[in-house]
Amino acid sequence: MGLDFTVLPGYFDALLLGSLWTIAIMLVSAVISFFGGILLAVIALYAPAIVRYPFRAFSFVFMGTPLLLQLFLIYFGLIQIGIDLPAFVAGVIGLGLHYAVYNSDIIQAGILAVDKGQHEGARTLGLSRGQTIRKIIVPQAVRTVIPPIGNNLIALLKDSALVSVIGVAELTLTSQLAISKTFRPFEFYIAAAACYYVINLGLEYGLRKIEKRVAVAR
Amino acid sequence: MTNEQPFIDVRHAQKSYGTLEVLKDISLQVSKGQIVAIIGPSGSGKSTLLRAINDLDPLTGGEIWLEDKQVNKDLPHRQYEKHINKVRQEIGMVFQHFNLFPHLTVRENITLAPKMLKGISDKDADKLAEEQLAKVGMSERIDYYPSQLSGGQKQRVAIARALAMKPKVMLFDEATSALDPELVEEVNLVMKALAEEHMTMIIVTHEMGFAESVCDRVLFMDEGVVVEEGPPEIIFKNPKNERTQNFLRKHLNG
Ligand SMILES: Nc1ncnc2c1ncn2[C@@H]1O[C@H](COP(=O)(O)OP(=O)(O)OP(=O)(O)O)[C@@H](O)[C@H]1O
Ligand SMILES: [Mg+2]
């Protein structure tokens, strides 16, 4: 049996819908990972030890264990303690937190790289420590680390395929369902890969736009 | 004027880093509207003294008073933070390296603190920014980012930013040292204009000519002490102390 790409058009709508779910997962978990990363970075650098250490343990666990396991734990495990999350929510929380930990490391480095004079400039105007961190330090740190955070987002996009295992009908699961009906794995995996590639191009385009916009404000 | 309370009163300021004593029992009174220059060799403690006045570098001994308020008051941590943030609003500071916020436009650099700390409206904040920028001759650049400005322009914006808080005192720590020679004058002119408005100022500087023409009083510091002080015509023309004489010999020729 040779290759037959003519099966694809019949599944166009399904693949499109799957792509949209993948984009939704990516965007929501990107937002979680970005703001979560900032929060974790600020805690790691500025919070008192009593707050810092529990969060460090949390980060360590999220970084040191497989994402797949984390997704299983959040989706299937939490039910046992009465937290029954929809698959999509469980998926974006898992992905988002996992990447928040990675982003946190990058943002911490960014914060430490902000010139000490910035802190002094703000404090002499009368801003408090918290105001200075929020309005002066973090915004600058984030601007300098947009490229590495962008790389994490691209990795996040690819890892979003893992969310298929808890039953979110995103691109990968959609193609698998199509394959189970048509027995055409090659065609559909190629199609799915093409969709990921296009989403990736869009993502990179967006990232480059953001980078350009902040370049002058550095 | 004779019985007037000092506006800024530094009483027996002492500062050590470990065993290194950087300020050794320095006292300094500045009355309202007075302009004081601090000169002295590198490492003599000029910046440390200036930065102690708004508690950027806390003293290890002595007191700083601004009018009837003690700046470095002994308070529990939280209360102290509140107190010092209030006091700092009244003390403008200008740094050698400007310390403008690069992620904000000129306008935002100026309006950030007044908006956050004084709760003024966007409209009033804009007006404030325009006023202050007009004062330093930077109105045209209101929507530029700092990276788009020259050093002299950056420093003028930094001065406008400090002035927007309506401070009672302005502190300058070598405001022109990082500038290309041809950009020094535009900043000096702004400082001179402030002097004409009788802004109370303490100016750490390496520019003897500027200190002589603008200041009411000059302090010569060396190794953490005020070696000699007096009106500029005495300090620059007829210094009594040998260390002052040596220092000036090097700097007036250069
Ligand atoms: N954080 C610090 N830790 C240890 N020593 C310090 C610290 N800050 C300053 N010093 C020391 O304090 C002394 C006075 O420094 P300061 O910066 O006040 O000198 P300065 O008169 O402003 O010199 P310059 O003209 O070079 O700016 C110097 O010997 C310096 O090495
Ligand atoms: Mg200095």
Side-chain angles (χ1 to χ4, degrees):
Chain A
M1 142 167 149
L3 296 179
D4 177 14
F5 283 93
T6 57
V7 295
L8 292 178
Y11 284 86
F12 180 81
D13 286 354
L15 288 172
L16 184 66
L17 192 64
S19 297
L20 291 178
W21 275 109
T22 288
I23 292 171
I25 293 167
M26 174 188 81
L27 290 179
V28 177
S29 23
V31 169
I32 295 174
S33 77
F34 180 71
F35 290 103
I38 292 175
L39 188 71
L40 290 174
V42 168
I43 287 172
L45 291 176
Y46 299 109
I50 189 166
V51 182
R52 210 166 58 230
Y53 284 114
F55 274 91
R56 188 180 293 176
F58 165 90
S59 302
F60 194 72
V61 168
F62 263 84
M63 225 181 212
T65 60
L67 175 56
L68 189 60
L69 194 78
Q70 292 163 19
L71 290 172
F72 283 149
L73 187 69
I74 293 171
Y75 187 56
F76 299 115
L78 288 185
I79 296 178
Q80 282 175 274
I81 54 168
I83 306 175
D84 186 2
L85 298 170
F88 178 82
V89 175
V92 294
I93 289 178
L95 258 182
L97 291 183
H98 189 82
Y99 276 92
V101 172
Y102 283 101
N103 284 344
S104 160
D105 269 12
I106 294 171
I107 293 168
Q108 281 181 53
I111 287 176
L112 293 174
V114 173
D115 183 52
K116 190 168 136 277
Q118 290 294 308
H119 203 85
E120 296 185 344
R123 296 307 301 275
T124 47
L125 289 168
L127 266 64
S128 70
R129 208 169 101 103
Q131 289 170 326
T132 302
I133 292 167
R134 220 159 9 93
K135 292 285 183 179
I136 305 299
I137 307 299
V138 165
Q140 286 184 53
V142 167
R143 279 170 171 77
T144 57
V145 297
I146 283 172
I149 287 193
N151 289 342
N152 273 356
L153 280 189
I154 290 165
L156 184 154
L157 168 64
K158 291 185 280 183
D159 273 352
S160 72
L162 285 173
V163 177
S164 61
V165 297
I166 57 171
V168 181
E170 43 65 80
L171 196 46
T172 300
L173 186 56
T174 304
S175 357
Q176 272 164 346
L177 292 176
I179 290 162
S180 66
K181 285 194 197 125
T182 59
F183 304 105
R184 295 243 161 232
F186 189 86
E187 289 86 341
F188 277 100
Y189 284 138
I190 289 287
C195 291
Y196 276 112
Y197 184 70
V198 170
I199 297 172
N200 209 332
L201 286 181
L203 177 60
E204 282 184 40
Y205 176 79
L207 287 170
R208 236 173 307 147
K209 278 234 134 145
I210 295 175
E211 267 178 55
K212 267 220 190 88
R213 267 188 71 160
V214 302
V216 62
R218 287 262 287 275
Chain B
M1 291 291 275
T2 43
N3 273 336
E4 203 188 323
Q5 268 226 358
F7 205 56
I8 305 169
D9 194 356
V10 178
R11 301 179 190 164
H12 306 290
Q14 196 276 341
K15 169 87 182 178
S16 303
Y17 289 107
T19 55
L20 177 71
E21 203 178 7
V22 179
L23 299 179
K24 302 167 185 163
D25 191 29
I26 290 191
S27 289
L28 162 68
Q29 280 83 39
V30 181
S31 50
K32 192 169 179 178
Q34 213 177 32
I35 299 161
V36 175
I38 303 178
I39 61 171
S42 184
S44 55
K46 306 180 296 294
S47 296
T48 309
L49 175 60
L50 199 71
R51 293 157 57 88
I53 291 175
N54 67 4
D55 204 50
L56 216 49
D57 281 342
L59 291 176
T60 39
E63 296 177 359
I64 309 275
W65 288 75
L66 176 63
E67 284 185 295
D68 52 357
K69 274 193 295 273
Q70 186 177 350
V71 174
N72 58 347
K73 210 167 13 178
D74 196 13
L75 287 172
H77 179 72
R78 289 209 152 204
Q79 272 165 279
Y80 185 72
E81 280 296 304
K82 268 202 157 140
H83 156 80
I84 196 67
N85 292 336
K86 267 260 177 301
V87 172
R88 282 181 182 147
Q89 294 185 31
E90 306 191 322
I91 306 177
M93 183 147 192
V94 175
F95 301 87
Q96 187 175 354
H97 295 289
F98 330 122
N99 298 354
L100 289 180
F101 308 131
H103 62 302
L104 302 179
T105 62
V106 166
R107 179 200 306 273
E108 292 162 339
N109 263 276
I110 295 173
T111 57
L112 176 84
K115 274 197 207 167
M116 284 183 83
L117 304 175
K118 297 183 171 172
I120 68 171
S121 69
D122 288 2
K123 212 171 133 220
D124 289 345
D126 277 345
K127 230 178 88 196
L128 182 67
E130 283 157 22
E131 272 166 31
Q132 299 308 326
L133 286 173
K135 240 180 168 165
V136 300
M138 287 291 297
S139 302
E140 323 263 88
R141 299 282 192 273
I142 190 161
D143 289 315
Y144 281 49
Y145 282 95
S147 62
Q148 299 168 313
L149 304 177
S150 74
Q153 292 174 331
K154 282 183 197 165
Q155 194 59 296
R156 287 189 278 152
V157 171
I159 294 172
R161 180 176 73 179
L163 291 175
M165 290 305 285
K166 312 278 178 193
K168 294 178 171 159
V169 185
M170 286 286 285
L171 310 175
F172 293 85
D173 193 357
E174 298 195 27
T176 56
S177 299
L179 300 179
D180 291 337
E182 71 271 18
L183 302 178
V184 168
E185 195 51 28
E186 64 187 61
V187 174
N188 281 348
L189 283 175
V190 168
M191 291 168 69
K192 275 184 187 154
L194 279 180
E196 268 150 36
E197 294 174 20
H198 303 289
M199 172 63 86
T200 310
M201 302 197 265
I202 304 181
I203 302 172
V204 171
T205 183
H206 279 150
E207 280 185 83
M208 302 307 145
F210 179 75
E212 189 169 0
S213 65
V214 172
C215 298
D216 304 312
R217 226 165 97 211
V218 180
L219 264 70
F220 172 69
M221 277 181 72
D222 196 10
E223 293 180 356
V225 295
V226 177
V227 174
E228 190 168 355
E229 68 164 294
E233 53 279 13
I234 304 285
I235 298 290
F236 290 116
K237 300 272 146 49
N238 274 312
K240 290 183 193 69
N241 191 291
E242 201 183 325
R243 275 147 90 187
T244 320
Q245 291 164 1
N246 286 336
F247 175 79
L248 288 174
R249 198 170 306 129
K250 274 189 227 144
H251 282 80
L252 290 178
N253 299 340

